[in-house]
């Protein structure tokens, strides 16, 4: 018999509420105002989503200077800096802000703590859009920490007024190590209630960890620039199994499946479920297959579309709330 004999689907998996909201915002504006609709950066970090929206008439740009004056522009789920917002206002751009509400929460925290005189220690990946946007909320009061080693030489003006914020898509276990190091150096460090790593990131990491403990191989559907997807692969590997990040079923290599009897399948928070279905179909084509789901949590979170901004750009269709 060729191929694996069992596939275990991690649950939760695939798109989260913030991603779903951002993608739908672009679709609605395209449907109501018509193309072109400009999107600053990738709306979410997934090549298939970007390709689909491009086919509908979305134009993805790196900078606002690529957007014509007065045009509609959508801010991605990862958020933007105050400087970007100011530029959009100055240019008279009609903005649809698709920033994930959980990312926006971190921005609010950064502004609040900076106003209270705290030094903000932001754990995150340099160059990531989400981190860049958060850093710019209080650049003079924020320091970026990427790993435990960064804590050793960290200098804080007032060790009694330190707050810890994080990128929302980090690996929970690795972040915990950095947090422990920070607490050891700065015992007075405070942290917003509940932390900043989002529920969807945490759930997907826990689910892929649980699946990895039952399987010989784990496939995570997601693009290479998707931070949360990359973290899921790393977590599976730390469980001692082979794990690969794939954009779609076409990237599965036959050699990965040699001697494998059980494959775990999951998807990052920006990868559509249809891509997971394609992976399962590909594995099914290799031979008889048993499929089961391993669920560690139920997600019912939904975020309302950013209607005030969308209606500024165009009127929503009557059949949408």
């Amino acid at each position: 018999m060729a191929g694996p004999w069992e596939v275990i689907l991690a649950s939760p998996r695939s798109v989260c509420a913030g991603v779903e909201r951002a993608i739908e915002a672009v679709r609605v504006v395209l449907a109501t105002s018509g193309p072109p609709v400009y999107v600053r950066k990738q709306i979410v970090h997934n090549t298939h989503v970007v390709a689909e929206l491009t086919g509908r008439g979305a134009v993805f740009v790196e900078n606002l200077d690529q957007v014509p004056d007065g045009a509609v522009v959508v801010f991605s789920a990862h958020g933007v800096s105050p400087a970007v917002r100011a530029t959009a206002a100055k240019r008279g751009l009609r903005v649809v802000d698709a920033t994930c509400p959980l990312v926006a929460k971190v921005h609010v925290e950064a502004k609040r703590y900076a106003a209270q005189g705290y030094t903000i220690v932001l754990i995150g990946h340099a160059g990531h859009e989400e981190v860049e946007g958060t850093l710019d909320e209080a650049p003079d009061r924020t320091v970026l920490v990427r790993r435990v080693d960064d804590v050793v030489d960290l200098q804080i003006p007032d060790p009694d007024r330190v707050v810890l914020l994080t990128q929302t898509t980090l690996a929970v276990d690795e972040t915990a190590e950095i947090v422990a190091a920070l607490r050891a150096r700065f015992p007075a460090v405070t942290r917003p209630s509940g932390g900043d790593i989002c529920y969807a990131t945490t759930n997907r990491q826990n689910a892929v960890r649980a699946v990895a403990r039952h399987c010989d191989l784990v496939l995570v559907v997601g693009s290479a620039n998707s931070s949360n997807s990359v973290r899921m692969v790393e977590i599976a590997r730390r469980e001692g199994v082979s794990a690969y990040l794939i954009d779609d079923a076409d990237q599965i290599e036959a050699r990965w499946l040699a001697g494998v009897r059980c494959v775990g399948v999951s998807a990052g928070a920006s990868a559509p479920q249809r891509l997971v279905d394609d992976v399962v179909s590909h594995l099914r084509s290799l031979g008889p297959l048993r499929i089961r789901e391993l669920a560690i949590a139920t997600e019912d979170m939904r975020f309302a579309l950013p209607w005030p901004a969308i209606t500024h750009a165009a009127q929503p269709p009557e059949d949408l709330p």
Side-chain angles (χ1 to χ4, degrees):
M1 180 182 68
W5 70 275
E6 183 178 34
V7 166
I8 303 180
L9 297 173
S11 180
R13 63 182 177 275
S14 192
V15 294
C16 63
V19 165
E20 188 175 33
R21 173 181 182 266
I23 295 171
E24 188 62 17
V26 178
R27 288 173 177 163
V28 168
V29 178
L30 282 167
T32 54
S33 65
V37 168
Y38 295 86
V39 183
R40 184 184 180 274
K41 306 289 187 179
Q42 292 187 354
I43 186 66
V44 298
H45 286 159
N46 186 268
T47 57
H48 287 273
V49 170
V50 170
E52 179 222 324
L53 295 176
T54 298
R56 292 173 180 242
V59 179
F60 291 88
V61 299
E62 286 297 308
N63 302 297
L64 291 186
D65 58 12
Q66 298 172 267
V67 181
D69 290 344
V72 178
V73 61
V74 182
F75 290 158
S76 79
H78 310 104
V80 299
S81 70
V84 170
R85 295 183 186 279
T87 298
K90 184 177 181 180
R91 295 271 316 283
L93 302 179
R94 293 179 289 164
V95 171
V96 177
D97 188 357
T99 301
C100 173
L102 299 181
V103 173
K105 165 182 168 286
V106 182
H107 283 236
V108 170
E109 290 167 349
K111 289 186 287 187
R112 183 175 74 248
Y113 281 104
Q116 296 173 4
Y118 280 79
T119 295
I120 300 163
V121 177
L122 176 63
I123 302 176
H125 301 292
H128 191 283
E129 288 103 299
E130 179 186 332
V131 169
E132 290 179 342
T134 304
L135 278 171
D136 202 45
E137 291 290 357
D140 296 334
R141 304 202 66 88
T142 307
V143 292
L144 180 63
V145 169
R146 289 163 289 183
R147 58 185 69 87
V148 171
D149 291 346
D150 294 339
V151 178
V152 176
D153 298 319
L154 193 59
Q155 300 299 315
I156 302 295
D158 184 353
D160 291 326
R161 296 185 73 77
V162 185
V163 64
L164 171 63
L165 304 181
T166 72
Q167 183 179 333
T168 63
T169 55
L170 299 179
V172 175
D173 51 358
E174 288 187 331
T175 303
E177 295 176 7
I178 301 174
V179 172
L182 283 166
R183 292 196 185 282
R185 276 212 65 196
F186 307 103
V189 66
T190 188
R191 193 176 185 185
S193 177
D196 296 318
I197 297 177
C198 84
Y199 76 95
T201 295
T202 302
N203 286 345
R204 280 152 188 73
Q205 290 177 10
N206 289 340
V208 83
R209 181 182 293 108
V211 164
R213 291 169 179 170
H214 295 274
C215 294
D216 311 302
L217 170 70
V218 171
L219 301 176
V220 176
V221 182
S223 294
N225 62 340
S226 167
S227 176
N228 77 90
S229 300
V230 172
R231 302 290 86 73
M232 290 166 66
V233 172
E234 292 171 349
I235 286 168
R237 288 174 178 169
R238 284 200 290 274
E239 291 299 319
V241 301
S242 297
Y244 298 95
L245 181 66
I246 56 173
D247 255 315
D248 50 46
D250 290 341
Q251 293 187 345
I252 298 174
E253 298 187 21
R255 63 184 178 85
W256 298 347
L257 303 173
V260 169
R261 305 298 296 174
C262 179
V263 177
V265 178
S266 189
S270 50
Q273 173 61 33
R274 64 180 174 82
L275 299 176
V276 176
D277 296 338
D278 290 345
V279 168
V280 174
S281 295
H282 174 81
L283 296 175
R284 192 189 300 276
S285 73
L286 302 177
L289 193 66
R290 183 174 68 187
I291 301 171
R292 66 184 177 98
E293 187 170 73
L294 196 163
I296 58 91
T298 300
E299 293 180 353
D300 55 8
M301 180 77 73
R302 295 290 183 273
F303 294 133
L305 290 173
W307 281 125
I310 287 180
T311 54
H312 178 63
Q315 291 297 318
E318 294 182 359
D319 61 342
L320 289 174

